[in-house]
Structures are given as structure tokens and as C-alpha cells.
Amino acid sequence: MSEMVTLSTDSRGISHITMARSERKNAFDAALIAELTAAIRRVDRSSRAVVLQSEGDTFSAGADVEWMRGMADYSLDDNVADSKALAGMFRALYDLEMPLVARVQGAAIGGGAGMVAVADIAVASTEASFAFTETRLGILPAVVSPYVVRKIGAARATALFVTGSRIDAKRAHEIGLVERLVEPTDLDAAVGRVLDAIVSGGPKAVNAAKRLVRELEGRPIDEVTELTIKRIAEIRVSHEGQEGLRAFLERRDPRW
């Protein structure tokens, strides 16, 4: 892979996907989208968590200006193909079985804010800011919209989409786009604390907990009661469930 995107996995099984295009504020173009998608698909499925991060002072400025200039003369078919590639990248992030943690150190604009929305847990610096500025260019935040609406709800997504207004990290935290907000000097430590909490749980249980929310989302309680009964019964009798219970009763750390 080129130096625009790197993928590494540490000794605890935590994978880090890093956008390294700081000279362009980690803005998207066709090459970065392709490399990000490839990196996401190369993540070891036994990884405990994935951290999505970037170099420099900007998380991601969204679409690259030079790329957009080149797209000005695209046909409808060209635009469909281009949008499919971007949608595929977001779907690959969404489909990760393990928790996805975004480390947000600065501005996250357009698709950059979309990546924050698709993350399960976004940890942001107080210096971060967020905006969906597409309508100011006469276009739409269409590909990211399912993830944004899912994260912050229809009313708040509408307000951000139609105004294109930039919000600060405090407001992003208030509306649920960001889960944790910390001072810039504490950002890496805060991400570390989230990862510590994730790896303290059973690997299968953590992934199953993420999947369970997706299975229940938007469905009435009566419709999912049997599913929840099945899920807890199955995991209680699993090797991991048995080990977790024994460790608790024996007052020791579980072996996972």
C-alpha cells in the first residue's frame, strides 16, 4: 500500500487504520477511498477493535478540492461509479464485526464527519469541529446520510445538512455525534481508556453486543424478545461465557 493509508495491529490485537495525507488535510480522492477500503477489508477479523485515525491537525477535510474540480465534467454514469466507491468504503467500516473507534483531533468535514458518524465510539479533542457543508456546494451529504441519521437522529441531521453550519466539539458531544470529549493533550490517553475497556470484555461477547444493537434497532420489544432470550442463553453456555462466570466467582481475571 502507499503511504496515504497504513494498517497496523498491536500486541493486544487492536488494529489501527491511519490516513497519512496531512498535506491535503486527509481529504478524500479516488485513490484515498480505494486505499481506505482495501485497508478496512484487510483488518484481521480476530482484532479486538479498530481505531480510525489520521496524521496532522485535521481529521479529514472531506472531498479533495482538486478531485472535485476533476469531477465537474463527470457524466451521470461516472458520478454513479464514483459514489459507489465511496459508499463501499463507508459500508466496509459499518460492517466491521468489532468495535470501531474514531480518534478525532481536528476538523471533520463532509465525508470526514461521516466517518465519525459510522464509528461506534468517537473520541474527540476539544479542538475538533464538524460540518456537512455539501449543500453550500450545491450537492448533498447523501452517501453518509444513513450513518448520520442513525447516529444523531433525523431532526439534528436535517439541521446540520440544510445549514451546512460548522459545530464545535462540545455541540457534537451534546448531540451524540461524539461519545467522549477531552482536552487535546489527553486524546491518546482517552482513546487508550476506551480500548482498555473494550479488551476487558470477552472478545465474542463484545462483538455480539455490537451486533445485538443492530439486530434490535428500530424494532418493537415484542418482536425481539425471543431473539434476546436466545442470544443470552447461547452465550451463557459458550466457552467464553462459562470462563467469564467462573472468573467472577473465583475472583480472578478471565482468561481471554
Side-chain angles (χ1 to χ4, degrees):
M1 300 183 71
S2 80
E3 295 181 355
M4 278 203 292
V5 179
T6 62
L7 171 64
S8 62
T9 304
D10 65 21
S11 59
R12 294 198 296 174
I14 295 166
S15 293
H16 292 76
I17 297 174
T18 306
M19 293 180 284
R21 201 181 183 225
S22 57
E23 75 284 358
R24 302 294 296 178
K25 298 187 180 297
N26 300 305
F28 297 149
D29 63 7
L32 182 63
I33 290 167
E35 289 194 24
L36 272 169
T37 305
I40 297 159
R41 289 175 176 161
R42 287 176 54 235
V43 168
D44 187 329
R45 263 38 201 180
S46 66
S47 294
R48 296 300 314 275
V50 175
V51 179
L52 181 62
Q53 59 191 16
S54 63
E55 296 180 354
D57 60 6
T58 301
F59 179 71
S60 174
D64 184 274
V65 174
E66 293 302 318
W67 183 47
M68 286 194 291
R69 183 174 288 119
M71 291 166 59
D73 296 324
Y74 275 18
S75 68
L76 177 60
D77 287 346
D78 291 335
N79 273 285
V80 168
D82 179 81
S83 298
K84 279 184 177 178
L86 184 60
M89 184 195 78
F90 279 100
R91 185 56 191 258
L93 285 170
Y94 180 78
D95 284 344
L96 287 168
E97 300 94 330
M98 66 293 294
L100 175 62
V101 179
R103 175 195 179 276
V104 189
Q105 79 277 29
I109 309 300
M115 289 198 292
V116 176
V118 79
D120 298 302
I121 301 172
V123 183
S125 158
T126 52
E127 294 182 350
S129 59
F130 307 83
F132 298 94
T133 55
E134 286 86 347
T135 55
R136 296 188 178 188
L137 302 175
I139 57 175
L140 295 172
V143 171
V144 303
S145 59
Y147 309 104
V148 180
V149 173
R150 180 176 184 268
K151 178 63 73 71
I152 65 174
R156 284 168 171 155
T158 301
L160 290 177
F161 288 177
V162 302
T163 65
S165 298
R166 186 176 294 226
I167 59 172
D168 62 17
K170 182 175 181 291
R171 180 59 180 160
H173 182 246
E174 288 172 350
I175 66 176
L177 184 60
V178 166
E179 175 65 23
R180 301 195 182 190
L181 182 61
V182 297
E183 293 301 316
T185 55
D186 192 38
L187 183 58
D188 288 324
V191 171
R193 290 191 292 273
V194 169
L195 297 172
D196 288 344
I198 289 170
V199 300
S200 69
K204 290 185 174 61
V206 168
N207 290 1
K210 172 175 174 170
R211 185 172 67 250
L212 182 64
V213 175
R214 305 242 178 121
E215 292 177 311
L216 305 184
E217 187 178 17
R219 298 170 64 184
I221 292 173
D222 287 348
E223 187 180 306
V224 297
T225 298
E226 288 301 318
L227 173 65
T228 61
I229 292 168
K230 180 181 179 184
R231 290 286 180 268
I232 186 60
E234 288 174 342
I235 205 158
R236 278 177 178 167
V237 300
S238 71
H239 174 76
E240 191 173 282
Q242 290 289 301
E243 168 60 16
L245 181 58
R246 289 194 189 98
F248 175 75
L249 295 175
E250 296 167 10
R251 297 183 180 181
R252 60 173 174 82
D253 292 332
R255 300 185 185 96
W256 49 57

